[in-house]
Structures are given as structure tokens and as C-alpha cells.
Amino acid sequence: MTDFYDDLETRSSDRREAEQFAALPVHLHHAKDAAPYFRRLLADIDPASIHDRNALATLPVTRKSDLIALQQESPPFGGLAAVEIGRLARVFASPGPIHDPEPHGADPWRSARALFAAGFRAGDLAHNCFAYHLTPAGSMFETGAHAVGCAVIPAGTGNTEMQAQVVASLKPRGYIGTPDFLKIILEKGDALGLDVSSIRIASVSGGPYLPDARAFYEARGLEVYQCYGTADLGIVAYETEARSGLVVNEGCIVEIVRPGTGDPVPDGEVGEVVVTIFNPAYPLIRFATGDLSAVLPGTSPCGRTNMRLKGWMGRADQTTKVKGMFVHPSQVAEVLRRHPQIGRARLVVGRQDASDTMTLRCEAEETGEALSAAIRETLASVTKLKGAVEFVVPGSLANDGKVIDDVRG
């Protein structure tokens, strides 16, 4: 596969950045004008001033973890939607519950590029095993498959024996769904003596693509590609034939920030995925997903020029309870903000003599009891809990995005 979905995927990085940040002020103005939540959140922001990544990083983040409360306070969408509910194509209820709007139009969730990169082409028949009941994944990928030009079997989840029978009779070329369910269908087909060999390609998401599943598909000669997205944003990034990270989707601006903050981290450092999408119906701006990832250097060998993510690397929300009180990543970030001598830091929560303990491990060139005492005082002030401070060599803390490490077992 050496062709591309369109020319946007191969435009220069400078051109992409210029075009996206030329469009962003217009998008911000629309969000302020049409969505009550963003009217409040961006009340003091001049959209015209948000013309590059540094300016974007000054805007507040909106956290996925806050959506349930926001939607309960201001149903149905927390004031984040920019159109009335009756003007949407579909409305979903994800677990939480969180209500997710789907606008009208072709490929509203931007899944077509991920499917195209996985090998789906016009005229293919796709077996879509994402759920169609209340949650958006089924529609998310069906609309993208239609944009590519595929016909779709709306298979949904469950009923494995019937799934295998449908594959044997209709002979779809591609599978869409979670990484594990295709294996279950194929094994069921084998057990029933059915020919399920028509499936040659797959686009998978919604769960980890583990080595045992990868080996199973490779042994059968299947080309399986991952993509990453959320029920709110749609598809954010996708794997290509280069097998070298996930290429960020066109129509998204992705930042990696220090967990608990909105502050971008250097490329290569693990942090929380924050996404801005150009969806006029649901204009999510600096939407903090709660997922961890990192930016890979350079561009993909496949020829697509957008930023690449390393992939899903865990959850950013590492809130834990110490001595009956919650400690948040944002509090660790506040300690760092007050002590610029610290590079990275990690709060290790342990247990000793039947009591919880906290130790803030700090990467720092400058050390000493005076600095240690000052950091301890700040830690106590911010968290209302006492903790120890331990200095470590710069660069020695693992680059895994962990801000709070609970080792109590």
C-alpha cells in the first residue's frame, strides 16, 4: 500500500501547521458564539491571538473525566455542543453515562483514513463488529467505511457462531472491531468447519493489541492495523504499513501535556494526550483524554507527514488516596511549579508500620537540606499531608508518564 487517502496526508508539516492555525481562530470564535460552555471558558480569550502551538497551550483544558458532572449540570451535552440536539444525526449514551453527539455529514468521526491505511478500498465488504447499541463505535467506523466506498455488515458484538456463519456466507474482505473478537470468530469458524478465510485485513481499536493476538493473525497471513480514538473525539491516530507508531489524523491538533496540567512536555516525554478537533457541532478544544502517550521523532516511513504517537501507554489520572485524603497529579505539578529547580518528579506512595507514606522523588542538579525542607513544606501545603523528599539524578526517573506511583500493593 503506497497510496494515500488524499493530499492532506503528505503536505509538509509547515503547511499543515500554518493551515490548521489559520483555521483555529475561526473555530474558536464559533465555539464561543454557539456553545455555552466555551462561551464561559474562553470569555477572556481573543480567538485571533491563538495562532500557534504556544498560544494554544495557554488555553484551559477540558477533561473527559469532568464530562459526567458537566452533562448532569447542563443536559444533555454540558453546554459543549454548538447545535441543538434535533439537528444531530445520532445521539449516543456511553457508560457513565456520557452523551456523545454525531453530526450529519460524511465521515464525521474521521475513521476513513484509518480504514484506508489498513487496506480498505472502495468495493470491499467490511464486517463491523463494534457495538451499534447506544455507544458510537459501530457508527463511527461504518460512516468511515462508507466514505471509503465499502459496503458494511452491521455485525455488532456477541453471537459468535452466527458471526462465523455470516463471514462464511458473505465473505467480507475486512474486519473492524476489537483486537480479540476477530480471533474468537475465526476460531469458532474453524471449530464449525466453516471457511472464514475471506478476511484478509482488519482495523482494530477499543482494547490492547497484545502479542499473542498479533502472532495468531500473522500466522494466518492477516494484515491487522491499530487505531486510537475516543467516543468523544472520534479517531485521533492510526497505524500505517510502516508499523512505526500511530500517525495523527488530519483534522486534529494533538498535544502531549504533563499529567494534571495543560503544559506541553518535550517531544519524546510521556504525558497526557490532549486533542483539539475541528468539529463545528461539538467543538472540543484542548480535550484532555486521560490517556498517556508520547511523540515519536521525525515522520513516518510510509510518507505521511503528520505527527506520530507512540501508542496508548496507560492512563494519566493517577489520583490516589493517602491517609484518607485524595492526592492528585495536579498537586504534584503545583509543587514543581513553585520549585523550578526540579526537573521531573514522582510521588511514591507506600506503606510502613501500618501507615501510609509519601516520598517525592525529584530530579534536580541542585540539592541540599535547604531545598529539601522548602519542597517538603510546599508538599505539605499543597496536599495537606506530610511527605519526604528524595533527590535523584536528572534523567533517572522512568519516562512512563507516572506522576504518582502507588506501591502499597
Side-chain angles (χ1 to χ4, degrees), residues 148-170:
V148 171
C150 301
V152 176
I153 302 169
T157 59
N159 205 343
T160 310
E161 183 171 328
M162 187 173 182
Q163 298 261 10
Q165 291 170 346
V166 168
V167 170
S169 59
L170 293 179

Side-chain angles (χ1 to χ4, degrees), residues 37 40 62-80 92-101 231-232 282 284 287-289 315 317:
Y37 171 82
R40 296 189 301 271
T62 296
R63 300 196 176 279
K64 181 181 177 73
S65 56
D66 292 334
L67 281 185
I68 294 174
L70 288 170
Q71 292 187 356
Q72 288 175 343
E73 292 168 7
S74 182
F77 302 117
L80 281 75
F92 299 98
S94 295
I98 295 175
H99 303 131
D100 300 305
D232 327 272
Y282 200 45
L284 298 179
F287 186 76
T289 62
R315 293 292 295 167
D317 185 6

